[in-house]
Amino acid sequence: MLLLDVSKSSSHPSDDEQKIFQYIDRHQDTFVKSLSEWVAVESDSIQPHLRGNITEIVKIAANSLRALGAAVELRNVSSQDEAYGQNLSLPPVILAELGNDTGKPTVCFYGHLDVMPAKKEDGWKTDPYTLTEVDGKLYGRGTNDNKGPVLAWLNAVGTFIALNMTLPVNVKFLLEGMEEAGSPGLEDLLKENEGFFSDVTYIVISDNTWLSNKKPALTYGTRGNAAFFVEVECCKKDLHSGSFGGIIHEAMFDLVALLDSLVDSSGRILIPGIYKDVAKITDEEMKLYAPIDFNFHEHKANIGVKEFLYKTKEDILLNIWRNPSLSIHGIEGAFSESGIKTVIPSKVIGKFSIRQVPNMNLSTVESQVKEHLKSVFSKRNSPNKLTVSMQVGAKPWIANIKDLQYEAARRAIKTVFQQDPDMIRDGATIPVAKMFEDITKKSVMMFPIGAADDGEHSQNEKINRLNYINGTKVFASFLLEISKLHSASNSMTAS
């Protein structure tokens, strides 16, 4: 069997790439203006009263794709009535395609057009919906997550068209507007539109960031997420602490004890058996960690902490990528406003999640959590009512870094950034990666262009102008590289 030699690649741009890069440089202000127009749409998918804004940005993106010559369909998904207790229609999902040459591979790009809530009074230095450039940094909600990367893909494809260059691949787009709200209806839409993916060869997602502020990265894995509510009820209504404190089993006491039983001060999860199914790390995988650009001081500065739980690069990366973690997120039902309210809450709900990794099983994790909490609760001899439920269950995702599209992306990054990328995982959960892989059975790659300090979901979210423009270049270069590698692979297979 003949094997494709992927080691022979040049970091020097080809003639076509030089033309493309020059065009992108000349038109970067136009690309920034487009980003400004998209950021101005407050497409917040969390707040129901802003749902119309998502439909607006979907239409804007659809028109941008039509301007490129793409065939665009707006597919409706089912009504949403669970998250907000009301019947809200969901915004349509864009399915677009450009090119149908059966002799070329087809690359499908997934992105989302919605954003997390943002208000200037939350700590933003600028209006989150007015793109503001300061020292080469483009501030605004959605610049990194995910409007900037989506536009970079559109700009890359548009550059080929503007230069009258033949697209080296067929391109498809799936753009949704409810990712930040959990992508309701997307899974059903994928299953109902399997024909759209029948000729897709590669799927690319650009919805995360590098590990470094300066060094590019490719992502080949994400953790899953199992989110739980643990509810304790002690009475039918809130009680006066002066009248009843000291004579009843307070729900908050039980809840604090339950939450305290989940993890120790070193960060280790205390639920019995939780580590049993974690995949063993291989020597080959450990070799990927050595060249990774990870600066302790830079990473601490980015997030504003004094110390990490671990002292070496490898231990830190293993524990945000390869090992499960448990985080406590809040308590519902307790008084949390300023001042003090001297009541005993009748019912409190603790909220926590476990980021699980291969080969952990969701149903097993659910059982382990429930058994552990029931065991701890029983030892307290409390008459209160305990209810434990898993609210979210998302599986981890892992890709094969030897897939052709990873090699094509490596080559493109080497050409544009003149350095090899870090091969990284993401400690967060991006359910669409696993969803696409399971439903379409296609190769999925995560291809970020944003820096580690971009602050997605946070105040003062930004994307560097350099990342946005070079991201456009690297996506264009990727399309050329995957075309070449795919053709060479097919030729070798045929021979």
Side-chain angles (χ1 to χ4, degrees):
M1 177 181 175
L2 293 173
L3 297 176
L4 176 64
D5 184 0
V6 296
S7 64
K8 297 178 180 178
S9 61
S10 172
S11 61
H12 184 71
S14 65
D15 290 343
D16 283 346
E17 285 171 324
Q18 290 187 45
K19 292 177 184 177
I20 290 168
F21 296 168
Q22 290 167 5
Y23 178 91
I24 293 170
D25 282 334
R26 290 196 306 270
H27 291 82
Q28 60 177 285
D29 287 342
T30 301
F31 297 151
V32 170
K33 182 182 178 183
S34 295
L35 181 58
S36 177
E37 293 168 353
W38 282 32
V39 166
V41 181
E42 190 178 353
S43 50
D44 172 353
S45 60
I46 304 301
Q47 302 183 75
H49 72 279
L50 295 174
R51 189 62 54 82
N53 292 349
I54 302 175
T55 301
E56 178 185 352
I57 193 66
V58 167
K59 291 179 178 178
I60 291 172
N63 288 334
S64 297
L65 285 162
R66 291 189 183 102
L68 298 179
V72 179
E73 289 186 69
L74 298 182
R75 294 290 180 88
N76 292 320
V77 293
S78 58
S79 294
Q80 175 187 351
D81 55 14
E82 295 181 2
Y84 303 103
Q86 52 187 301
N87 195 339
L88 293 171
S89 61
L90 293 167
V93 173
I94 295 174
L95 297 181
E97 50 189 309
L98 189 59
N100 56 4
D101 187 337
T102 57
K104 297 177 180 179
T106 298
V107 175
C108 179
F109 170 74
Y110 163 85
H112 67 89
L113 304 166
D114 60 316
V115 299
M116 291 293 284
K119 294 180 180 180
K120 191 172 189 300
E121 53 266 33
D122 290 338
W124 282 73
K125 295 179 180 178
T126 61
D127 179 355
Y129 296 103
T130 299
L131 189 73
T132 306
E133 183 167 9
V134 180
D135 298 329
K137 297 176 173 63
L138 303 169
Y139 291 94
R141 177 59 93 216
T143 49
N144 171 286
D145 185 18
N146 187 228
K147 292 176 178 179
V150 171
L151 268 171
W153 272 104
L154 268 65
N155 297 337
V157 172
T159 298
F160 282 94
I161 295 166
L163 292 172
N164 293 314
M165 296 173 64
T166 302
L167 272 172
V169 300
N170 305 312
V171 181
K172 292 191 175 187
F173 289 87
L174 190 154
L175 305 178
E176 66 155 322
M178 292 296 293
E179 190 271 348
E180 301 293 7
S183 300
L186 181 63
E187 184 172 358
D188 288 339
L189 183 137
L190 294 182
K191 292 176 180 177
E192 293 165 3
N193 292 273
E194 290 184 2
F196 180 80
F197 296 98
S198 60
D199 59 347
V200 168
T201 323
Y202 308 102
I203 297 174
V204 181
I205 300 171
S206 301
D207 191 21
N208 64 319
T209 64
W210 301 344
L211 181 66
S212 163
N213 289 349
K214 296 181 180 179
K215 188 178 181 183
L218 289 171
T219 305
Y220 64 94
T222 63
R223 293 195 290 188
N225 192 18
F228 292 89
F229 284 3
V230 50
E231 175 184 309
V232 182
E233 183 176 4
C234 65
C235 48
K236 296 302 181 183
K237 60 182 180 180
D238 292 351
L239 302 175
H240 192 296
S241 64
S243 301
F244 299 96
I247 64 170
I248 68 169
H249 294 265
E250 296 189 22
M252 185 68 86
F253 292 163
D254 285 338
L255 180 60
V256 170
L258 290 167
L259 294 177
D260 186 54
S261 76
L262 295 172
V263 64
D264 67 18
S265 60
S266 70
R268 185 168 180 82
I269 302 173
L270 299 175
I271 299 168
I274 202 75
Y275 293 96
K276 180 180 178 182
D277 295 328
V278 174
K280 303 298 182 184
I281 191 165
T282 65
D283 292 339
E284 183 179 7
E285 183 183 342
M286 279 304 300
K287 291 177 182 177
L288 296 173
Y289 287 70
I292 289 175
D293 180 18
F294 181 81
N295 184 300
F296 272 73
H297 301 294
E298 179 183 276
H299 208 60
K300 285 192 289 188
N302 284 347
I303 60 177
V305 299
K306 293 182 178 180
E307 295 294 340
F308 292 121
L309 289 171
Y310 304 94
K311 302 300 182 183
T312 68
K313 175 180 76 173
E314 288 77 11
D315 281 342
I316 289 176
L317 296 182
L318 283 170
N319 281 284
I320 58 174
W321 295 348
R322 283 293 271 99
N323 291 331
S325 66
L326 189 151
S327 298
I328 297 172
H329 307 297
I331 296 176
E332 180 181 336
F335 182 69
S336 60
E337 299 175 19
S338 59
I340 188 167
K341 183 179 180 182
T342 57
V343 300
I344 299 170
S346 61
K347 180 173 69 175
V348 285
I349 304 172
K351 302 178 181 184
F352 67 94
S353 68
I354 297 174
R355 300 284 177 171
Q356 78 270 11
V357 298
N359 295 315
M360 296 172 72
N361 180 281
L362 264 175
S363 61
T364 301
V365 170
E366 181 179 11
S367 297
Q368 290 169 334
V369 168
K370 289 181 176 180
E371 289 173 9
H372 169 72
L373 289 174
K374 288 176 182 177
S375 174
V376 173
F377 187 71
S378 67
K379 294 175 183 176
R380 290 183 59 78
N381 296 316
S382 171
N384 296 331
K385 180 183 177 182
L386 171 69
T387 306
V388 183
S389 59
M390 187 171 75
Q391 299 292 312
V392 174
K395 299 176 182 177
W397 165 77
I398 189 78
N400 182 0
I401 61 173
K402 296 180 180 179
D403 282 351
L404 283 186
Q405 63 174 340
Y406 274 94
E407 177 57 30
R410 276 191 286 261
R411 292 187 179 194
I413 288 171
K414 183 75 170 180
T415 298
V416 174
F417 294 95
Q418 293 298 300
Q419 58 182 321
D420 292 317
D422 283 334
M423 300 303 297
I424 67 172
R425 296 193 185 195
D426 194 318
T429 304
I430 304 178
V432 292
K434 184 65 174 174
M435 186 190 303
F436 273 98
E437 184 178 77
D438 286 348
I439 294 173
T440 69
K441 310 302 180 186
K442 308 292 183 177
S443 171
V444 177
M445 175 178 69
M446 297 193 68
F447 194 168
I449 61 171
D453 65 349
D454 277 357
E456 72 276 25
H457 289 202
S458 187
Q459 298 94 333
N460 304 309
E461 178 185 352
K462 58 88 176 171
I463 191 169
N464 300 329
R465 176 186 278 255
L466 185 65
N467 287 64
Y468 180 46
I469 299 306
N470 279 349
T472 301
K473 293 178 184 178
V474 81
F475 290 157
S477 179
F478 167 77
L479 296 179
L480 291 167
E481 292 290 355
I482 193 61
S483 174
K484 290 187 292 186
L485 286 173
H486 185 86
S487 177
S489 177
N490 283 350
S491 296
M492 296 189 73
T493 301
S495 64

